[in-house]
Amino acid sequence: MKVATFNVNGINGRLSVLLLWLKQAQPDIVCLQELKAPQYKFPVAALRAAGYEAVWHGQSRWNGVAILSRGSEPIEIRRGLPGNVEDEHSRYIEAAVKGVLIGCLYLPNGNPASGPKFDYKLRWFRRLIGHASTLLATGAPVMLVGDFNVMPTELDVYKPERWIDDALFRPEVRSAYQQLLDQGWTDAIRTCHPGERIYTFWDYLRNAWGRDAGLRLDHLLLSPTLKDHIVAAGVDREVRGWDRASDHAPAWVILSHLPSL
């Protein structure tokens, strides 16, 4: 089974890119971020025609997350991250899909740091850590998948010395990510490529794509029951070079012989 994550940076404006990638890559489960579309403008019909059913949490102009499933319907479990009923950002959706519990997330950027946006990012991260612990306690096969807006190590960012004070690379954010891993989660891409410099994001500015000045922001975290089922993981980086591409490329993991929920 192939599970992928893709920050589409506007699902309707880049629908042709998404559909072409789905046709070529044939992922079984896809987590999307930055839909930038209200609930009623999600392209259900186009995705269904491509063979995918979906659950989604939209928001006008900003944010937005979705879970796609090829040939079956995701069963929505939760919409919104618990811990703050006043948080109206569409950044988390959870569903049971093909025997796995999937949490699709779009963690706040947090810039400029320090400031209110950075404080919100850290609060959101703490809520995620708390909910992740609850998910692990179920003993079910679980994945936390999406755009975490964090480069965990210096290997995940070009010229790390330039990012020391950025909200994507601040010690507090990297520490929070490590707290997640310490709960027992496995970073699929880093597990398969322990010493390789791999990126999932290239800015539109300063010819970042042409210079390969990238960042690894998109992660697939697996619960302990799934760790030994990893076959391969990687990034479809060529998608970033397509016409009208997102500034992110899809990342994925292939699993085999899955335990059931």
Side-chain angles (χ1 to χ4, degrees):
M1 183 171 73
K2 187 175 187 178
V3 182
T5 181
F6 191 6
N7 180 321
V8 291
N9 192 16
I11 191 167
N12 289 306
R14 306 188 200 281
L15 184 57
S16 60
V17 172
L18 174 60
L19 292 175
L20 177 58
W21 171 72
L22 289 173
K23 182 178 180 180
Q24 291 187 0
Q26 294 287 298
D28 298 289
I29 301 172
V30 185
C31 291
L32 302 178
Q33 303 86 38
E34 272 203 276
L35 304 179
K36 294 183 178 178
Q39 194 74 5
Y40 68 93
K41 286 192 175 181
F42 187 81
V44 181
L47 289 168
R48 186 167 289 154
Y52 289 85
E53 298 295 331
V55 293
W56 66 97
H57 187 17
Q59 186 171 352
S60 180
R61 298 186 300 151
W62 310 107
N63 306 322
V65 287
I67 299 174
L68 314 183
S69 176
R70 183 158 62 101
S72 65
E73 190 167 348
I75 301 172
E76 185 174 323
I77 304 297
R78 175 180 295 278
R79 181 178 298 234
L81 190 66
N84 184 357
V85 295
E86 297 180 354
D87 187 353
E88 297 180 350
H89 287 202
S90 299
R91 294 184 175 276
Y92 186 85
I93 192 166
E94 189 175 295
V97 196
K98 299 181 183 293
V100 181
L101 190 60
I102 302 285
C104 172
L105 62 98
Y106 176 44
L107 207 138
N109 178 286
N111 278 306
S114 298
K117 291 184 178 180
F118 187 65
D119 293 342
Y120 171 64
K121 177 174 190 166
L122 294 180
R123 290 195 303 271
W124 206 96
F125 223 143
R126 286 194 292 268
R127 288 162 57 199
L128 176 63
I129 291 169
H131 185 56
S133 177
T134 300
L135 292 175
L136 285 180
T138 68
V142 186
M143 294 184 65
L144 292 176
V145 179
D147 180 355
F148 283 69
N149 267 318
V150 55
M151 297 92 77
T153 72
E154 292 190 355
L155 193 60
D156 302 306
V157 50
Y158 83 101
K159 296 189 175 179
E161 67 276 7
R162 295 186 178 181
W163 293 83
I164 292 173
D165 293 324
D166 193 279
L168 306 179
F169 199 53
R170 285 278 293 263
E172 303 95 317
V173 176
R174 295 162 64 190
S175 175
Y177 185 83
Q178 187 60 48
Q179 286 180 54
L180 266 182
L181 296 187
D182 289 345
Q183 288 180 341
W185 300 93
T186 295
D187 182 331
I189 288 180
R190 189 49 69 210
T191 296
C192 291
H193 306 276
E196 189 175 344
R197 192 170 291 279
I198 294 179
Y199 302 137
T200 65
F201 169 90
W202 297 260
D203 203 318
Y204 292 127
L205 303 175
R206 299 177 295 278
N207 191 32
W209 169 244
R211 295 186 297 115
D212 196 27
L215 313 171
R216 190 172 75 99
L217 302 177
D218 306 272
H219 309 303
L220 303 105
L221 302 189
L222 281 61
S223 65
T225 54
L226 294 175
K227 178 180 179 180
D228 293 336
H229 300 275
I230 298 175
V231 175
V235 179
D236 292 338
R237 57 174 289 143
E238 69 279 2
V239 177
R240 175 61 179 84
W242 292 358
D243 186 45
R244 295 186 59 80
S246 169
D247 43 9
H248 293 251
W252 50 268
V253 62
I254 295 175
L255 305 173
S256 68
H257 307 297
L258 293 181
S260 59
L261 279 171

PDB file of all heavy atoms in Angstrom, residues 2 8 10 39 41 47 50 59 66 81 83 88 91 107 110 117 126-127 130 149 165 174 176 203 220 230 235 240 250:
ATOM      1  N   LYS A   2       0.533   2.186  -0.856  1.00  0.00           N
ATOM      2  CA  LYS A   2       1.301   3.412  -0.980  1.00  0.00           C
ATOM      3  C   LYS A   2       0.533   4.572  -0.374  1.00  0.00           C
ATOM      4  O   LYS A   2      -0.592   4.883  -0.784  1.00  0.00           O
ATOM      5  CB  LYS A   2       1.595   3.702  -2.458  1.00  0.00           C
ATOM      6  CG  LYS A   2       2.531   4.859  -2.707  1.00  0.00           C
ATOM      7  CD  LYS A   2       2.836   4.972  -4.203  1.00  0.00           C
ATOM      8  CE  LYS A   2       3.893   6.011  -4.485  1.00  0.00           C
ATOM      9  NZ  LYS A   2       4.207   6.080  -5.939  1.00  0.00           N
ATOM     10  N   VAL A   8      -0.589  20.914  -1.910  1.00  0.00           N
ATOM     11  CA  VAL A   8      -0.914  21.288  -3.289  1.00  0.00           C
ATOM     12  C   VAL A   8      -0.879  22.790  -3.526  1.00  0.00           C
ATOM     13  O   VAL A   8      -0.905  23.240  -4.661  1.00  0.00           O
ATOM     14  CB  VAL A   8      -2.289  20.730  -3.707  1.00  0.00           C
ATOM     15  CG1 VAL A   8      -2.233  19.220  -3.829  1.00  0.00           C
ATOM     16  CG2 VAL A   8      -3.377  21.170  -2.735  1.00  0.00           C
ATOM     17  N   GLY A  10      -3.142  25.173  -3.162  1.00  0.00           N
ATOM     18  CA  GLY A  10      -4.300  25.632  -3.924  1.00  0.00           C
ATOM     19  C   GLY A  10      -4.828  24.531  -4.820  1.00  0.00           C
ATOM     20  O   GLY A  10      -4.369  24.376  -5.951  1.00  0.00           O
ATOM     21  N   GLN A  39     -15.243  24.704   1.897  1.00  0.00           N
ATOM     22  CA  GLN A  39     -15.748  23.334   1.877  1.00  0.00           C
ATOM     23  C   GLN A  39     -16.495  23.006   0.580  1.00  0.00           C
ATOM     24  O   GLN A  39     -16.299  21.950  -0.021  1.00  0.00           O
ATOM     25  CB  GLN A  39     -16.653  23.110   3.099  1.00  0.00           C
ATOM     26  CG  GLN A  39     -16.986  21.666   3.387  1.00  0.00           C
ATOM     27  CD  GLN A  39     -15.818  20.897   3.995  1.00  0.00           C
ATOM     28  OE1 GLN A  39     -14.766  21.453   4.291  1.00  0.00           O
ATOM     29  NE2 GLN A  39     -15.999  19.602   4.167  1.00  0.00           N
ATOM     30  N   LYS A  41     -16.196  24.176  -2.391  1.00  0.00           N
ATOM     31  CA  LYS A  41     -15.448  24.265  -3.644  1.00  0.00           C
ATOM     32  C   LYS A  41     -14.395  23.168  -3.791  1.00  0.00           C
ATOM     33  O   LYS A  41     -13.564  23.222  -4.697  1.00  0.00           O
ATOM     34  CB  LYS A  41     -14.796  25.640  -3.783  1.00  0.00           C
ATOM     35  CG  LYS A  41     -15.788  26.739  -4.128  1.00  0.00           C
ATOM     36  CD  LYS A  41     -15.078  28.013  -4.546  1.00  0.00           C
ATOM     37  CE  LYS A  41     -16.082  29.073  -5.009  1.00  0.00           C
ATOM     38  NZ  LYS A  41     -15.400  30.320  -5.432  1.00  0.00           N
ATOM     39  N   LEU A  47     -12.023  14.345  -8.615  1.00  0.00           N
ATOM     40  CA  LEU A  47     -11.262  13.326  -7.910  1.00  0.00           C
ATOM     41  C   LEU A  47     -11.962  11.970  -7.980  1.00  0.00           C
ATOM     42  O   LEU A  47     -11.317  10.928  -8.131  1.00  0.00           O
ATOM     43  CB  LEU A  47     -11.038  13.750  -6.459  1.00  0.00           C
ATOM     44  CG  LEU A  47     -10.054  14.908  -6.284  1.00  0.00           C
ATOM     45  CD1 LEU A  47     -10.116  15.468  -4.864  1.00  0.00           C
ATOM     46  CD2 LEU A  47      -8.637  14.481  -6.626  1.00  0.00           C
ATOM     47  N   ALA A  50     -11.283  10.338 -11.097  1.00  0.00           N
ATOM     48  CA  ALA A  50      -9.917   9.792 -11.103  1.00  0.00           C
ATOM     49  C   ALA A  50      -9.799   8.536 -10.255  1.00  0.00           C
ATOM     50  O   ALA A  50      -8.718   7.940 -10.176  1.00  0.00           O
ATOM     51  CB  ALA A  50      -8.932  10.845 -10.620  1.00  0.00           C
ATOM     52  N   GLN A  59     -11.257  25.664   3.965  1.00  0.00           N
ATOM     53  CA  GLN A  59     -11.263  27.002   4.547  1.00  0.00           C
ATOM     54  C   GLN A  59     -10.990  27.998   3.426  1.00  0.00           C
ATOM     55  O   GLN A  59     -10.072  27.795   2.615  1.00  0.00           O
ATOM     56  CB  GLN A  59     -10.197  27.138   5.638  1.00  0.00           C
ATOM     57  CG  GLN A  59     -10.235  28.469   6.385  1.00  0.00           C
ATOM     58  CD  GLN A  59      -9.315  28.483   7.597  1.00  0.00           C
ATOM     59  OE1 GLN A  59      -8.758  27.471   7.982  1.00  0.00           O
ATOM     60  NE2 GLN A  59      -9.160  29.639   8.204  1.00  0.00           N
ATOM     61  N   ALA A  66      -7.151  17.378   3.416  1.00  0.00           N
ATOM     62  CA  ALA A  66      -8.033  16.349   2.870  1.00  0.00           C
ATOM     63  C   ALA A  66      -7.324  15.004   2.890  1.00  0.00           C
ATOM     64  O   ALA A  66      -6.092  14.932   2.857  1.00  0.00           O
ATOM     65  CB  ALA A  66      -8.451  16.693   1.432  1.00  0.00           C
ATOM     66  N   LEU A  81      -7.983  19.494  15.285  1.00  0.00           N
ATOM     67  CA  LEU A  81      -7.142  18.956  16.350  1.00  0.00           C
ATOM     68  C   LEU A  81      -7.750  19.305  17.700  1.00  0.00           C
ATOM     69  O   LEU A  81      -8.114  20.457  17.938  1.00  0.00           O
ATOM     70  CB  LEU A  81      -5.738  19.547  16.231  1.00  0.00           C
ATOM     71  CG  LEU A  81      -4.640  18.949  17.104  1.00  0.00           C
ATOM     72  CD1 LEU A  81      -4.367  17.506  16.700  1.00  0.00           C
ATOM     73  CD2 LEU A  81      -3.361  19.774  16.969  1.00  0.00           C
ATOM     74  N   GLY A  83      -8.163  20.181  21.760  1.00  0.00           N
ATOM     75  CA  GLY A  83      -7.379  20.971  22.692  1.00  0.00           C
ATOM     76  C   GLY A  83      -7.681  22.442  22.692  1.00  0.00           C
ATOM     77  O   GLY A  83      -7.244  23.165  23.598  1.00  0.00           O
ATOM     78  N   GLU A  88     -10.173  27.874  14.767  1.00  0.00           N
ATOM     79  CA  GLU A  88     -10.985  27.638  13.578  1.00  0.00           C
ATOM     80  C   GLU A  88     -10.152  27.337  12.342  1.00  0.00           C
ATOM     81  O   GLU A  88     -10.698  27.191  11.243  1.00  0.00           O
ATOM     82  CB  GLU A  88     -11.884  28.856  13.319  1.00  0.00           C
ATOM     83  CG  GLU A  88     -12.879  29.111  14.445  1.00  0.00           C
ATOM     84  CD  GLU A  88     -13.759  30.313  14.174  1.00  0.00           C
ATOM     85  OE1 GLU A  88     -13.471  31.059  13.198  1.00  0.00           O
ATOM     86  OE2 GLU A  88     -14.748  30.498  14.914  1.00  0.00           O
ATOM     87  N   ARG A  91      -6.713  22.669   9.813  1.00  0.00           N
ATOM     88  CA  ARG A  91      -5.352  22.130   9.761  1.00  0.00           C
ATOM     89  C   ARG A  91      -5.258  20.646  10.099  1.00  0.00           C
ATOM     90  O   ARG A  91      -4.159  20.081  10.043  1.00  0.00           O
ATOM     91  CB  ARG A  91      -4.454  22.907  10.720  1.00  0.00           C
ATOM     92  CG  ARG A  91      -4.246  24.368  10.333  1.00  0.00           C
ATOM     93  CD  ARG A  91      -3.261  25.054  11.263  1.00  0.00           C
ATOM     94  NE  ARG A  91      -2.953  26.419  10.860  1.00  0.00           N
ATOM     95  CZ  ARG A  91      -2.052  26.757   9.959  1.00  0.00           C
ATOM     96  NH1 ARG A  91      -1.353  25.798   9.350  1.00  0.00           N
ATOM     97  NH2 ARG A  91      -1.829  28.018   9.647  1.00  0.00           N
ATOM     98  N   LEU A 107       0.711  21.817   9.854  1.00  0.00           N
ATOM     99  CA  LEU A 107       1.158  22.536  11.043  1.00  0.00           C
ATOM    100  C   LEU A 107       1.470  23.993  10.689  1.00  0.00           C
ATOM    101  O   LEU A 107       1.964  24.273   9.599  1.00  0.00           O
ATOM    102  CB  LEU A 107       2.409  21.840  11.595  1.00  0.00           C
ATOM    103  CG  LEU A 107       2.651  22.001  13.091  1.00  0.00           C
ATOM    104  CD1 LEU A 107       3.095  20.681  13.700  1.00  0.00           C
ATOM    105  CD2 LEU A 107       3.696  23.066  13.354  1.00  0.00           C
ATOM    106  N   GLY A 110       4.471  29.686  11.455  1.00  0.00           N
ATOM    107  CA  GLY A 110       5.037  30.286  12.659  1.00  0.00           C
ATOM    108  C   GLY A 110       5.875  31.523  12.479  1.00  0.00           C
ATOM    109  O   GLY A 110       6.296  32.137  13.465  1.00  0.00           O
ATOM    110  N   LYS A 117       2.473  34.474  15.930  1.00  0.00           N
ATOM    111  CA  LYS A 117       2.349  33.326  15.030  1.00  0.00           C
ATOM    112  C   LYS A 117       3.245  32.175  15.474  1.00  0.00           C
ATOM    113  O   LYS A 117       2.865  30.999  15.359  1.00  0.00           O
ATOM    114  CB  LYS A 117       2.687  33.747  13.598  1.00  0.00           C
ATOM    115  CG  LYS A 117       1.658  34.678  12.977  1.00  0.00           C
ATOM    116  CD  LYS A 117       1.992  34.983  11.527  1.00  0.00           C
ATOM    117  CE  LYS A 117       0.924  35.867  10.907  1.00  0.00           C
ATOM    118  NZ  LYS A 117       1.220  36.173   9.484  1.00  0.00           N
ATOM    119  N   ARG A 126       2.123  21.412  20.634  1.00  0.00           N
ATOM    120  CA  ARG A 126       1.870  20.743  21.915  1.00  0.00           C
ATOM    121  C   ARG A 126       0.552  19.975  21.878  1.00  0.00           C
ATOM    122  O   ARG A 126       0.463  18.868  22.435  1.00  0.00           O
ATOM    123  CB  ARG A 126       1.867  21.761  23.052  1.00  0.00           C
ATOM    124  CG  ARG A 126       3.261  22.270  23.425  1.00  0.00           C
ATOM    125  CD  ARG A 126       3.267  23.005  24.747  1.00  0.00           C
ATOM    126  NE  ARG A 126       2.546  24.271  24.668  1.00  0.00           N
ATOM    127  CZ  ARG A 126       3.109  25.426  24.379  1.00  0.00           C
ATOM    128  NH1 ARG A 126       4.403  25.494  24.094  1.00  0.00           N
ATOM    129  NH2 ARG A 126       2.390  26.531  24.348  1.00  0.00           N
ATOM    130  N   ARG A 127      -0.462  20.548  21.252  1.00  0.00           N
ATOM    131  CA  ARG A 127      -1.740  19.839  21.102  1.00  0.00           C
ATOM    132  C   ARG A 127      -1.570  18.578  20.259  1.00  0.00           C
ATOM    133  O   ARG A 127      -2.148  17.520  20.547  1.00  0.00           O
ATOM    134  CB  ARG A 127      -2.781  20.768  20.476  1.00  0.00           C
ATOM    135  CG  ARG A 127      -3.270  21.867  21.417  1.00  0.00           C
ATOM    136  CD  ARG A 127      -3.937  22.998  20.645  1.00  0.00           C
ATOM    137  NE  ARG A 127      -5.040  22.514  19.824  1.00  0.00           N
ATOM    138  CZ  ARG A 127      -5.554  23.201  18.796  1.00  0.00           C
ATOM    139  NH1 ARG A 127      -5.038  24.378  18.460  1.00  0.00           N
ATOM    140  NH2 ARG A 127      -6.569  22.716  18.107  1.00  0.00           N
ATOM    141  N   GLY A 130       0.077  15.858  22.298  1.00  0.00           N
ATOM    142  CA  GLY A 130      -0.888  15.256  23.209  1.00  0.00           C
ATOM    143  C   GLY A 130      -1.823  14.291  22.498  1.00  0.00           C
ATOM    144  O   GLY A 130      -2.085  13.183  22.989  1.00  0.00           O
ATOM    145  N   ASN A 149       5.925  21.713   8.582  1.00  0.00           N
ATOM    146  CA  ASN A 149       6.607  23.004   8.636  1.00  0.00           C
ATOM    147  C   ASN A 149       7.763  22.997   9.627  1.00  0.00           C
ATOM    148  O   ASN A 149       7.956  23.925  10.418  1.00  0.00           O
ATOM    149  CB  ASN A 149       5.616  24.128   8.968  1.00  0.00           C
ATOM    150  CG  ASN A 149       5.071  24.783   7.704  1.00  0.00           C
ATOM    151  OD1 ASN A 149       5.809  25.026   6.754  1.00  0.00           O
ATOM    152  ND2 ASN A 149       3.775  25.050   7.689  1.00  0.00           N
ATOM    153  N   ASP A 165      17.270  31.278  12.862  1.00  0.00           N
ATOM    154  CA  ASP A 165      16.224  32.043  13.539  1.00  0.00           C
ATOM    155  C   ASP A 165      14.859  31.922  12.870  1.00  0.00           C
ATOM    156  O   ASP A 165      13.921  32.631  13.242  1.00  0.00           O
ATOM    157  CB  ASP A 165      16.621  33.528  13.600  1.00  0.00           C
ATOM    158  CG  ASP A 165      17.833  33.756  14.490  1.00  0.00           C
ATOM    159  OD1 ASP A 165      17.945  33.061  15.518  1.00  0.00           O
ATOM    160  OD2 ASP A 165      18.671  34.612  14.144  1.00  0.00           O
ATOM    161  N   ARG A 174      12.156  22.101  16.445  1.00  0.00           N
ATOM    162  CA  ARG A 174      12.834  20.833  16.217  1.00  0.00           C
ATOM    163  C   ARG A 174      12.731  19.923  17.447  1.00  0.00           C
ATOM    164  O   ARG A 174      12.604  18.695  17.328  1.00  0.00           O
ATOM    165  CB  ARG A 174      14.287  21.091  15.861  1.00  0.00           C
ATOM    166  CG  ARG A 174      14.443  21.828  14.534  1.00  0.00           C
ATOM    167  CD  ARG A 174      15.800  22.463  14.370  1.00  0.00           C
ATOM    168  NE  ARG A 174      16.869  21.493  14.323  1.00  0.00           N
ATOM    169  CZ  ARG A 174      18.161  21.788  14.383  1.00  0.00           C
ATOM    170  NH1 ARG A 174      18.543  23.062  14.503  1.00  0.00           N
ATOM    171  NH2 ARG A 174      19.071  20.847  14.323  1.00  0.00           N
ATOM    172  N   ALA A 176      10.198  19.891  19.526  1.00  0.00           N
ATOM    173  CA  ALA A 176       8.826  19.366  19.546  1.00  0.00           C
ATOM    174  C   ALA A 176       8.694  18.180  18.595  1.00  0.00           C
ATOM    175  O   ALA A 176       8.041  17.173  18.920  1.00  0.00           O
ATOM    176  CB  ALA A 176       7.841  20.472  19.173  1.00  0.00           C
ATOM    177  N   ASP A 203      11.270  26.910  -2.658  1.00  0.00           N
ATOM    178  CA  ASP A 203      10.580  28.190  -2.772  1.00  0.00           C
ATOM    179  C   ASP A 203      10.504  28.636  -4.233  1.00  0.00           C
ATOM    180  O   ASP A 203      11.337  28.259  -5.058  1.00  0.00           O
ATOM    181  CB  ASP A 203      11.331  29.236  -1.938  1.00  0.00           C
ATOM    182  CG  ASP A 203      10.448  30.410  -1.534  1.00  0.00           C
ATOM    183  OD1 ASP A 203       9.659  30.883  -2.364  1.00  0.00           O
ATOM    184  OD2 ASP A 203      10.567  30.850  -0.380  1.00  0.00           O
ATOM    185  N   LEU A 220       6.081  11.658   6.952  1.00  0.00           N
ATOM    186  CA  LEU A 220       5.159  10.541   7.170  1.00  0.00           C
ATOM    187  C   LEU A 220       5.641   9.792   8.402  1.00  0.00           C
ATOM    188  O   LEU A 220       6.686   9.127   8.368  1.00  0.00           O
ATOM    189  CB  LEU A 220       5.126   9.611   5.955  1.00  0.00           C
ATOM    190  CG  LEU A 220       4.756  10.273   4.619  1.00  0.00           C
ATOM    191  CD1 LEU A 220       5.995  10.438   3.754  1.00  0.00           C
ATOM    192  CD2 LEU A 220       3.694   9.471   3.882  1.00  0.00           C
ATOM    193  N   ILE A 230       7.533  -1.115   6.508  1.00  0.00           N
ATOM    194  CA  ILE A 230       8.036  -0.173   5.500  1.00  0.00           C
ATOM    195  C   ILE A 230       8.829  -0.927   4.437  1.00  0.00           C
ATOM    196  O   ILE A 230       9.758  -1.662   4.744  1.00  0.00           O
ATOM    197  CB  ILE A 230       8.933   0.898   6.148  1.00  0.00           C
ATOM    198  CG1 ILE A 230       8.144   1.743   7.155  1.00  0.00           C
ATOM    199  CG2 ILE A 230       9.528   1.814   5.065  1.00  0.00           C
ATOM    200  CD1 ILE A 230       9.006   2.741   7.917  1.00  0.00           C
ATOM    201  N   VAL A 235      10.451  10.767  -2.415  1.00  0.00           N
ATOM    202  CA  VAL A 235       9.819  12.013  -2.842  1.00  0.00           C
ATOM    203  C   VAL A 235       9.760  12.033  -4.364  1.00  0.00           C
ATOM    204  O   VAL A 235      10.771  11.756  -5.030  1.00  0.00           O
ATOM    205  CB  VAL A 235      10.618  13.242  -2.337  1.00  0.00           C
ATOM    206  CG1 VAL A 235       9.977  14.543  -2.814  1.00  0.00           C
ATOM    207  CG2 VAL A 235      10.723  13.223  -0.817  1.00  0.00           C
ATOM    208  N   ARG A 240       7.786  18.884  -8.809  1.00  0.00           N
ATOM    209  CA  ARG A 240       8.047  20.300  -8.529  1.00  0.00           C
ATOM    210  C   ARG A 240       8.440  21.062  -9.796  1.00  0.00           C
ATOM    211  O   ARG A 240       8.245  22.289  -9.887  1.00  0.00           O
ATOM    212  CB  ARG A 240       9.143  20.412  -7.461  1.00  0.00           C
ATOM    213  CG  ARG A 240       9.606  21.822  -7.154  1.00  0.00           C
ATOM    214  CD  ARG A 240       8.485  22.698  -6.616  1.00  0.00           C
ATOM    215  NE  ARG A 240       8.974  24.035  -6.305  1.00  0.00           N
ATOM    216  CZ  ARG A 240       9.089  25.019  -7.211  1.00  0.00           C
ATOM    217  NH1 ARG A 240       8.759  24.799  -8.474  1.00  0.00           N
ATOM    218  NH2 ARG A 240       9.541  26.214  -6.835  1.00  0.00           N
ATOM    219  N   PRO A 250       5.309  15.727  -3.834  1.00  0.00           N
ATOM    220  CA  PRO A 250       4.708  14.644  -3.042  1.00  0.00           C
ATOM    221  C   PRO A 250       5.776  13.757  -2.398  1.00  0.00           C
ATOM    222  O   PRO A 250       6.784  13.423  -3.024  1.00  0.00           O
ATOM    223  CB  PRO A 250       3.900  13.848  -4.071  1.00  0.00           C
ATOM    224  CG  PRO A 250       3.746  14.752  -5.256  1.00  0.00           C
ATOM    225  CD  PRO A 250       4.977  15.611  -5.267  1.00  0.00           C
TER     226      PRO A 250
END
